[in-house]
């Protein structure tokens, strides 16, 4: 009986530790998501509302590769300098970009949207299907970089992708109900 | 409570899973996405471009494609279209990308600040450097002392070869080509026997029987990638599998791929070949008319001295084996005999190669598929297609000129892509001899033993940053020109050597400028491409030049598979009737056999860490020089693997750790070339030893070539030990009981087995 109790006690301790680890991990993930939901803090507080709304720059002007290939890509510092060589001189956030350019340093943004390595998401196919960027990325154009930062709108989990692929909403290229998108495993999991 | 086994396991698994799950996450830096500082309009982050070019890592001249992402060269692969390598590549080519971004690359012009040879330099501007060199060139030419300038390069082909040739002859300077492992004897044999100035294509792919003397085509000889491809065809690409017999004192990479190994005594390869010829002629196994021509009508009687029974003792090959080999060689057509490597590197090197290659005449392989396919002259007239090196005798003459003041004193020495201070035998004391030259200019991209002696360094681009061309040699049996284009923009403040020469020509002016009317290599190459376009044949054929140029660069070059080589010239050759025995330096016990490393070559690759880390195919040793000793020899001297032994020749001694090598002759000591640099990159400086340091300066009198296999040495244990950095033995292999694939023996047991040189192994 005694040895049994000891074994049982040890087991409970291990389970508790393991369970505790799971709880802590889950909490951390949630915290991260909460932070993500507030948007991660970026090295430069880039205001999409100024650039995409007030200045009416198209998403593709900066995120050049979205209609070409897999990744949408982030613009180079040089591209920012097209305007900011004169525009916004003296503003603290703009000065961060200008000094990165002068020192030949890249800007390391904190990634917001990420799918795991075993998933291959191709932007180009979705743009070709007529989707607008905001249909997946939410109202990014309203972010100001300070109080409203870019964050994950959709969960980016497989179920979310499949829900859309099974029953795609209307896009500028096709009306609703015009058939489902591919749901074969190898389409996304090469 | 009673826990069932199943419940216990479930609980443990869950809790363990939970604990593990907590510890596994992705690294924080994967959460970063970068705005690069600059990005050209047509470049997308993460997408690659492939550029075709020509590899510059060894003289073979394979075609390559380079993967470039965001302006950086990431990976080099073989160009699938190129006739030499057909998409394959080797370790040396693969490591080329490391050269571009190497931390020890010379990034801009340097001027010496310390003592000559100290390796202390300070950066200067290109204007300063070029002005100094131009000034000296103008001064020498102006005072009628143009032959006081000496230019040392690697053996050059293609348009860089053209530019150097024109510069040298128009200026009047002495141009010497340096080849660490010279092909002088091979070229002489080709000229004497077949009237050829170009090396032929050794058509291993279609041969039924290959008999190779001393050459290491699967390892380091001439064009290993090409021969490796051919070997694949030879073995598995057709209905009947070919037979490969390797004749050499050492068990090389090629021997490992052969069916039989004939461990001939060093220097007696020619005698063995003549003995095979004697059997073929006596038993009438060859072409009768050829046999008559080669023996002056006397038939087998002319070769009496080479009867197998008479040469068995001298060559170390039993008579029955010689007869069997001769019958197999002549009886399996097409049969191909090749010779080179250590067989050529004796005082009787030309004698050896003449006898070996004459065997091809006897079996009718000259100019035929499966034999020697001769290469046509180059399509572009005047562009060198053969990289001919100056024989060792020429270097001795240069040293004589420097030391004893023979002829015009050398006022200016310029060196490009050559390291003779490292590679020439130490006995010549080349480094000391050039110490007298007032101005030494190096164009090297990396510090090496020769560059360290320079007063001025004007660093070249790597080939991945350069325009160029090449006519591969040995050619593929038809016309071919490789075009080399920059895959990346120049990373540092270096300048391409060809362009620098063209600039110097313009500055010097006069006849030199007229001989080189192009402003850059690119201009010259476009002109050459125009000439190729006018041919309207071959793999790139276009009506408009801009389209032709683009397609040419995309393909990686131009070739015409229909343009075959000439028929062999019928020359009145007679086989030697008297043996020319090899001479050796000293009478010490062991033959010293240095050999080119498959990864480092003769030292050209030592600065690239990927090559240092590439294991030798047979010993698996990395990052080190070793000495291959037969187990009996090692046992006799009380040496084990790792014991450091001094290898002593009449000209010096070097120390290296022992590797007990079962497939070594008892009377030979082999050592790889490539290490032992005094000035080099951080990964190669002061590492290992250089076999050239102790080589005897013996020549083949007929050609002036260095007999680098003719040194004899003795061994002296030093009592020091070090652990050999090798892959072999580092992982314990356990065989499934009852399914033994490999028999594992201890080194000591090998003493009880037949040794190399005693009958068939």
């Amino acid at each position: 009986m005694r040895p049994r109790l000891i074994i049982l006690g040890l087991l409970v301790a291990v389970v508790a530790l393991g369970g505790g680890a799971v709880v802590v991990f889950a909490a951390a993930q949630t915290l991260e998501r909460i932070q993500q939901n507030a948007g991660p803090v970026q090295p430069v507080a880039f205001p999409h509302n100024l650039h995409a709304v007030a200045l009416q720059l198209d998403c593709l002007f900066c995120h050049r590769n979205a209609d070409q290939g897999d990744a949408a890509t982030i613009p180079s510092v040089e591209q920012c300098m097209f305007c900011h060589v004169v525009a916004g001189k003296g503003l603290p956030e703009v000065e961060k970009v200008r000094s990165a350019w002068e020192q030949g340093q890249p800007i390391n943004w904190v990634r917001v949207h990420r799918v795991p390595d075993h998933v291959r998401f191709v932007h180009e196919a979705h743009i070709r299907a007529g989707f607008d960027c905001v249909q997946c990325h939410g109202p990014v154009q309203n972010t100001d970089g300070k109080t409203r930062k870019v964050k994950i709108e959709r969960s980016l989990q497989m179920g979310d992708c499949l829900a859309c692929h099974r029953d795609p909403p209307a896009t500028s290229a096709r009306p609703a109900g015009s058939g489902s998108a591919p749901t074969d495993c190898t389409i996304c999991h090469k | 409570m009673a826990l069932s086994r199943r419940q216990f396991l479930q609980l443990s698994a869950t809790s363990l899973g939970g604990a593990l799950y907590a510890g596994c996450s992705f690294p924080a830096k994967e959460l970063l996405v970068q705005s690069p500082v600059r990005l050209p309009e047509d470049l997308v982050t993460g997408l690659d471009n492939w550029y075709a070019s020509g590899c510059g890592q060894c003289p073979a001249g394979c075609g390559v494609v380079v993967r470039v992402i965001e302006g950086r060269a990431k990976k080099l692969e073989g160009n699938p279209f190129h006739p030499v390598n057909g998409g394959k590549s080797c370790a040396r080519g693969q490591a080329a990308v490391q050269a571009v971004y190497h931390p020890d690359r010379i990034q801009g012009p340097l001027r010496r600040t310390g003592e000559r040879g100290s390796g202390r330099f300070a950066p200067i501007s290109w204007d300063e450097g070029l002005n100094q060199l131009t000034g000296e060139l103008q001064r020498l030419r102006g005072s009628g002392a143009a032959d006081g300038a000496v230019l040392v390069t690697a053996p050059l082909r293609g348009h860089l070869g053209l530019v150097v040739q024109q510069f040298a002859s128009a200026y009047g300077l002495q141009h010497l080509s340096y080849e660490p492992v010279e092909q002088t004897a091979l070229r002489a044999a080709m000229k004497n026997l077949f009237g050829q100035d170009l090396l032929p294509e050794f058509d291993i792919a279609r041969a039924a029987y290959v008999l190779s003397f001393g050459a290491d085509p699967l390892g380091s000889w001439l064009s290993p990638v090409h021969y490796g491809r051919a070997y694949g065809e030879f073995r598995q690409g057709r209905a009947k599998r070919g037979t490969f017999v390797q004749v050499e004192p050492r068990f090389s990479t090629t021997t490992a791929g052969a069916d039989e190994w004939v461990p001939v005594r060093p220097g007696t390869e020619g005698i063995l070949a003549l003995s095979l010829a004697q059997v073929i002629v006596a038993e009438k196994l060859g072409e009768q008319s050829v046999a008559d021509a080669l023996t002056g009508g006397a038939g087998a009687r002319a070769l009496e001295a080479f009867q197998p029974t008479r040469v068995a003792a001298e060559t170390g090959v039993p008579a029955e084996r010689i007869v069997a080999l001769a019958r197999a060689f002549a009886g399996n057509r097409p049969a191909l005999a090749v010779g080179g490597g250590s067989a050529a590197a004796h005082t009787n090197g030309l004698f050896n190669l003449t006898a070996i290659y004459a065997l091809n005449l006897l079996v009718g392989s000259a100019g035929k598929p499966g034999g020697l396919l001769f290469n046509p002259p180059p399509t572009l007239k005047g562009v060198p297609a053969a990289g001919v090196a100056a024989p060792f005798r020429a270097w001795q003459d240069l040293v004589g000129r420097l030391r004893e003041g023979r002829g015009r004193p050398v006022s200016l020495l310029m060196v490009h892509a050559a390291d003779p201070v490292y590679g020439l035998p130490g006995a010549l004391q080349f480094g000391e001899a050039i110490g007298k030259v007032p101005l030494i200019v190096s164009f090297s991209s990396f510090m090496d033993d020769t560059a360290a002696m320079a007063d001025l360094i004007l660093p070249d681009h790597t080939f991945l940053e350069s325009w160029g061309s090449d006519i591969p040699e040995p050619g593929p049996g038809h016309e071919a020109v490789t075009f080399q284009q920059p895959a990346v923009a120049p990373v540092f403040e270096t300048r391409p050597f060809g362009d620098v020469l063209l600039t110097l020509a313009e500055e010097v002016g006069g006849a030199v400028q007229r001989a080189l009317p192009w402003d850059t290599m690119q201009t010259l190459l476009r002109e050459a491409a125009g000439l190729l376009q006018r041919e309207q044949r071959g793999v790139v054929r276009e009506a408009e030049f801009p389209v032709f140029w683009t397609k040419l660069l995309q393909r990686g070059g131009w070739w015409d598979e229909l343009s075959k080589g000439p028929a062999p010239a019928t020359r009145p050759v007679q086989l030697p009737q008297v043996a020319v025995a090899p001479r050796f330096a000293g009478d010490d016990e062991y033959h010293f056999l240095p050999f080119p490393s498959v990864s480092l070559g003769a030292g050209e690759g030592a600065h690239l860490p990927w090559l240092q880390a590439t294991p030798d195919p047979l010993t698996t040793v990395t990052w080190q020089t070793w000495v291959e000793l037969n187990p009996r020899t090692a046992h006799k001297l009380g040496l084990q693997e790792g014991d450091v032994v001094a290898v002593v020749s009449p000209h010096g001694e070097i120390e290296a750790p022992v590797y007990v090598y079962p497939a070594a002759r008892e009377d030979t000591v082999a050592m790889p070339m490539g290490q032992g640099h005094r000035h080099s990159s951080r990964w190669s400086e002061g590492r290992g030893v250089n076999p050239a340091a102790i080589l005897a300066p013996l020549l083949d009198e007929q050609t002036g070539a260095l007999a680098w296999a003719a040194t004899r040495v003795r061994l002296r244990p030093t009592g020091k030990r070090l652990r050999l950095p090798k892959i072999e033995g580092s992982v314990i292999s356990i065989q499934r009981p009852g399914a033994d694939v490999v028999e594992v023996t201890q080194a000591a047991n090998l003493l009880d087995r037949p040794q190399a040189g005693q009958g068939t192994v």
Side-chain angles (χ1 to χ4, degrees):
Chain A
M1 195 51 189
R2 268 292 154 125
R4 273 240 178 91
L5 266 177
I6 293 174
I7 293 171
L8 184 62
L10 279 170
L11 263 172
V12 171
V14 168
V15 170
L17 273 170
V22 173
V23 168
V24 168
F25 178 69
Q29 289 280 61
T30 317
L31 261 171
E32 209 181 305
R33 283 203 169 263
I34 289 169
Q35 235 203 357
Q36 295 266 43
N37 283 335
V41 178
Q42 298 288 352
V44 175
F46 177 79
H48 275 95
N49 56 357
L50 174 62
H51 294 79
V53 179
L55 295 173
Q56 295 186 324
L57 290 176
D58 189 64
C59 312
L60 288 174
F61 181 80
C62 292
H63 300 283
R64 281 190 293 127
N65 201 46
D67 60 345
Q68 310 273 338
D70 292 15
T73 69
I74 300 277
S76 61
V77 181
E78 187 179 28
Q79 178 152 2
C80 304
M81 293 305 288
F82 289 164
C83 299
H84 288 294
V85 65
V86 287
K89 218 188 269 188
L91 296 176
E93 297 302 313
V94 174
E95 284 306 319
K96 284 184 190 171
V97 177
R98 291 161 60 87
S99 71
W101 170 254
E102 267 140 37
Q103 286 159 30
Q105 293 296 316
I107 297 176
N108 292 317
W109 305 93
V110 178
R111 188 184 268 281
V112 176
H113 302 91
R114 185 180 176 278
V115 288
D117 287 344
H118 56 270
V119 178
R120 185 176 160 240
F121 176 79
V122 177
H123 273 91
E124 182 263 338
H126 295 80
I127 305 291
R128 190 163 25 98
F131 279 95
D132 195 66
C133 310
V134 297
Q135 280 177 276
C136 294
H137 291 288
V140 174
Q141 71 275 19
N142 294 339
T143 62
D144 62 2
K146 291 193 161 67
T147 54
R148 290 188 307 275
K149 298 194 275 290
V150 177
K151 62 183 175 71
I152 301 179
E153 265 310 308
R154 304 182 71 122
S155 75
L156 303 187
Q157 310 257 326
M158 181 164 137
D160 187 32
C161 300
L162 274 179
C164 214
H165 270 239
R166 286 191 184 119
D167 190 16
T171 73
S172 61
R174 333 140 14 119
S178 49
S180 58
T183 50
D184 188 71
C185 310
T186 55
I187 295 290
C188 307
H189 296 292
K190 292 244 175 256
Chain B
M1 75 184 232
L3 258 182
S4 76
R5 194 205 201 106
R6 172 185 272 188
Q7 286 166 319
F8 171 76
L9 285 171
Q10 280 174 339
L11 274 171
S12 328
T14 328
S15 44
L16 184 66
L20 282 176
Y21 193 50
C24 293
S25 184
F26 41 79
K29 72 172 192 276
E30 283 198 24
L31 291 176
L32 295 179
V33 56
Q34 200 180 71
S35 280
V37 181
R38 286 192 137 89
L39 203 61
E41 278 286 320
D42 58 346
L43 216 80
V44 181
T45 48
L47 287 187
D48 57 6
N49 277 317
W50 292 80
Y51 294 95
S53 188
C55 186
Q57 291 285 87
C58 91
C62 297
V64 295
V65 287
V66 188
R67 186 180 192 214
V68 177
I69 300 182
E70 293 159 33
R72 292 181 186 85
K74 295 288 194 180
K75 187 74 157 64
L76 183 144
E77 299 286 8
N79 180 352
F81 298 122
H82 201 275
V84 169
N85 57 318
K88 309 298 183 192
S89 59
C90 74
R92 291 178 68 179
Q94 290 281 337
V97 291
Q98 282 202 314
V100 186
Y101 305 105
H102 201 292
D104 296 327
R105 223 179 121 183
I106 299 177
Q107 302 183 5
L110 298 174
R111 179 172 283 143
R112 174 169 69 88
T113 53
E115 283 274 304
R116 185 172 271 178
S118 66
R120 279 204 297 282
F121 293 86
I124 55 168
S125 70
W126 268 99
D127 282 340
E128 266 186 84
L130 280 176
N131 284 343
Q132 188 182 358
L133 179 55
T134 314
E136 184 60 17
L137 284 168
Q138 285 169 334
R139 186 187 75 79
L140 280 175
R141 194 145 191 273
S143 59
D147 55 348
V150 177
L151 171 62
V152 174
T153 65
L156 288 171
R157 309 182 297 240
H159 287 88
L160 185 60
L162 175 75
V163 168
V164 168
Q165 259 180 15
Q166 299 282 70
F167 190 96
S169 66
Y171 183 90
L173 55 74
Q174 183 188 15
H175 173 223
L176 282 172
S177 293
Y178 174 68
E179 191 169 40
V181 181
E182 55 181 309
Q183 302 300 336
T184 309
L186 180 61
R187 290 188 189 280
M190 289 299 127
K191 186 76 187 178
N192 294 350
L193 285 170
F194 310 110
Q196 297 293 312
D197 291 315
L198 295 175
L199 296 178
E201 150 78 335
F202 299 109
D203 193 9
I204 294 173
R206 289 181 286 187
Y209 194 101
V210 176
L211 185 58
S212 165
F213 292 77
D216 186 17
L218 299 181
S220 57
W221 188 66
L222 297 185
S223 199
V225 179
H226 176 71
Y227 298 134
R229 248 180 97 209
Y231 178 80
E233 279 297 308
F234 173 78
R235 289 299 202 192
Q236 295 180 333
R238 21 180 245 212
K240 188 159 185 285
R241 193 168 183 271
T243 306
F244 199 114
V245 175
Q246 177 77 348
V247 179
E248 66 171 326
R250 189 191 156 249
F251 193 101
S252 65
T253 310
T254 301
T255 316
D259 296 294
E260 289 177 49
W261 176 38
V262 181
V264 69
R265 181 163 291 119
T268 62
E269 290 89 350
I271 296 169
L272 177 61
L274 284 170
S275 189
L276 294 171
Q278 195 275 344
V279 175
I280 293 173
V281 172
E283 296 187 10
K284 301 204 187 324
L285 301 170
E287 313 282 313
Q288 193 53 45
S289 56
V290 177
D292 285 338
L294 287 172
T295 55
R301 270 191 299 114
L303 299 169
E304 241 175 23
F306 299 103
Q307 280 171 352
T309 43
R310 285 167 132 179
V311 303
E314 193 179 359
T315 58
V317 184
E320 317 82 62
R321 190 142 192 231
I322 297 177
V323 174
L325 276 173
R327 288 177 186 159
F329 178 70
N332 282 287
R333 310 284 183 94
L336 172 65
V338 297
S342 61
H346 283 281
T347 56
N348 62 351
L350 183 56
F351 164 79
N352 290 340
L353 291 193
T354 305
I356 292 162
Y357 283 103
L359 289 171
N360 290 298
L361 289 168
L362 271 175
V363 294
S365 307
K368 303 269 175 46
L372 300 170
L373 291 175
F374 300 111
N375 279 296
T379 325
L380 298 168
K381 305 280 174 291
V383 179
V388 182
F392 181 65
R393 180 180 284 141
W395 299 98
Q396 284 182 319
D397 290 343
L398 177 63
V399 170
R401 184 180 161 192
L402 288 165
R403 283 230 183 83
E404 295 148 37
R406 283 187 232 152
R408 172 98 58 199
V410 179
S411 306
L412 170 64
L413 173 66
M414 297 178 282
V415 185
H416 175 259
D419 193 3
V421 172
Y422 168 79
L424 287 171
L428 196 60
Q429 294 187 301
F430 188 75
E432 196 210 296
I434 61 171
K436 299 182 186 344
V437 177
L439 178 59
I440 301 179
V441 180
S442 167
F443 297 93
S444 183
S445 307
F446 289 93
M447 193 57 63
D448 58 35
D449 291 317
T450 307
M453 294 292 292
D455 303 297
L456 184 60
I457 301 183
L458 301 174
D460 190 10
H461 284 342
T462 61
F463 76 86
L464 288 170
E465 300 159 300
S466 306
W467 285 99
S469 71
D470 187 27
I471 299 171
E473 199 199 12
H478 55 79
E479 290 174 36
V481 185
T482 311
F483 271 73
Q484 202 181 79
Q485 61 170 326
V488 292
V491 183
F492 300 113
E493 297 298 312
T494 54
R495 282 196 199 174
F497 177 59
D499 284 6
V500 171
L501 277 181
L502 292 171
T503 305
L504 291 172
E506 206 188 313
E507 295 295 314
V508 169
V512 188
Q513 184 183 23
R514 284 194 297 278
L516 295 166
W518 308 280
D519 56 341
T520 61
M521 291 297 291
Q522 190 183 0
T523 311
L524 171 55
L525 288 169
R526 285 183 73 97
E527 208 179 274
L531 295 171
L532 288 173
Q533 187 209 3
R534 258 167 256 160
E535 296 281 327
Q536 285 298 307
R537 59 183 171 96
V539 77
V540 187
R541 208 183 304 187
E542 292 293 331
E544 301 292 320
F545 180 74
V547 184
F548 181 87
W549 177 245
T550 306
K551 293 251 171 97
L552 177 75
L553 293 178
Q554 283 177 334
R555 179 105 342 189
W558 178 93
W559 37 89
D560 185 1
E561 284 167 30
L562 298 174
S563 66
K564 301 293 184 195
T570 41
R571 320 197 96 232
V573 178
Q574 276 200 20
L575 287 174
Q577 299 184 10
V578 176
V580 178
R583 282 184 302 115
F584 298 98
D587 50 11
D588 286 317
E589 209 176 333
Y590 304 102
H591 291 280
F592 183 54
L593 284 183
F595 59 92
S597 155
V598 170
S599 51
L600 308 180
E604 308 83 62
H607 59 295
L608 301 175
W610 281 348
L611 293 179
Q612 288 278 2
T614 301
D616 174 73
L618 293 167
T619 61
T620 74
V621 179
T622 57
W623 295 97
Q624 186 55 273
T625 310
W626 65 93
V627 176
E628 291 170 3
L629 286 190
N630 176 281
R632 276 226 182 93
T633 311
H635 185 74
K636 189 174 73 178
L637 295 163
L639 292 168
Q640 288 181 336
E641 179 184 297
D643 285 338
V644 176
V645 71
V647 181
V648 186
S649 84
H651 298 274
E653 63 174 70
I654 44 180
E655 290 181 4
V658 167
Y659 179 89
V660 177
Y661 196 53
R665 285 178 58 97
E666 272 184 79
D667 62 353
T668 61
V669 162
M671 180 184 280
M673 302 177 192
Q675 306 273 25
H677 300 263
R678 273 202 228 108
H679 295 275
S680 188
S681 77
R682 66 191 67 186
W683 294 297
S684 39
E685 210 168 83
R687 176 178 295 283
V689 292
N690 180 9
I694 63 168
L695 284 181
L698 280 186
L699 301 176
D700 178 345
E701 293 301 326
Q702 280 189 290
T703 56
L706 178 67
W708 49 259
T711 308
R712 297 192 75 115
V713 294
R714 58 192 158 80
L715 299 173
R716 191 190 71 236
T718 61
K720 294 186 268 199
R721 268 193 69 77
L722 65 85
R723 201 169 141 223
L724 267 180
K726 62 185 174 91
I727 315 260
E728 174 191 82
S730 61
V731 176
I732 299 169
S733 315
I734 301 171
Q735 303 202 77
R736 267 203 352 258
D740 290 356
V741 179
V742 176
E743 185 187 337
V744 179
T745 41
Q746 299 292 318
N749 296 350
L750 291 161
L751 297 178
D752 301 331
R753 286 155 190 269
Q755 297 300 307
Q758 304 172 337
T760 9
V761 175

